[in-house]
Amino acid sequence: MVDYMEGAYRRRVPEPGEELRAPQGRSAAERRRAQADIAHACERVSVDPGFVKLRRRFAIQAGLLVAAFLGSYLSYLLLSAYARDFMSVQIVDSVNVALVMGIGQFLLTFVLAWAFGRFSARSIDPLAEQVRNRAAEGSPGTGTAVHR
């Protein structure tokens, strides 16, 4: 789901006991050129309007969901601290408003996680796939592409 945020290039981390060395047959200049090509490809992707739209959608979605959860939790916390009479109202036998709202926090967490996944699958993941495909194709005339 957040594959597009991991970056286009990851260096391989050596295993314990294995030393990090250059691949056979590649000079330092070739390695620098390859890294520069990757940097240019990442720059192209970062200014791509689709990528900017993708980041904006993700930020708005994550911000709204975090704000909803924090608002709910803060209201529960403030009601517990300052509205003791309201929170102690019995609903059924030994179940009061505070208990229902506390359990509601867990329910809200699962509902928001479900909403995040559903919204991401519908509007963010297709856009991420388009950006990924455009990045893999590379822009015409440069001959460079971002490979995973």
Side-chain angles (χ1 to χ4, degrees):
M1 180 171 15
V2 292
D3 190 31
Y4 55 87
M5 296 190 68
E6 290 180 358
Y9 177 71
R10 289 188 139 176
R11 294 183 183 194
R12 189 176 81 74
V13 177
E15 298 291 329
E18 177 187 4
E19 62 185 55
L20 184 62
R21 61 180 181 271
Q24 296 293 337
R26 291 185 75 181
S27 68
E30 288 174 336
R31 286 191 309 273
R32 283 193 303 272
R33 195 173 313 116
Q35 287 179 346
D37 288 344
I38 291 169
H40 291 301
C42 289
E43 253 182 67
R44 277 194 319 275
V45 169
S46 70
V47 296
D48 179 13
F51 184 72
V52 171
K53 183 178 181 181
L54 175 67
R55 288 186 51 153
R56 185 175 300 125
R57 273 190 192 173
F58 180 79
I60 289 171
Q61 173 192 355
L64 287 175
L65 292 175
V66 167
F69 177 76
L70 288 178
S72 169
Y73 183 71
L74 184 62
S75 66
Y76 172 68
L77 190 65
L78 291 174
L79 285 171
S80 294
Y82 298 109
R84 291 189 165 281
D85 293 336
F86 171 71
M87 296 297 269
S88 64
V89 170
Q90 299 258 332
I91 295 175
V92 177
D93 200 25
S94 63
V95 176
N96 60 12
V97 173
L99 182 62
V100 171
M101 286 185 70
I103 292 171
Q105 292 299 310
F106 290 104
L107 180 63
L108 180 67
T109 301
F110 291 115
V111 167
L112 290 177
W114 171 80
F116 183 86
R118 188 167 170 88
F119 182 78
S120 293
R122 285 187 169 183
S123 67
I124 292 180
D125 290 347
L127 187 56
E129 188 65 30
Q130 290 174 358
V131 170
R132 190 178 299 118
N133 289 340
R134 276 197 304 262
E137 292 168 3
S139 63
T142 62
T144 59
V146 178
H147 297 286
R148 294 193 143 254

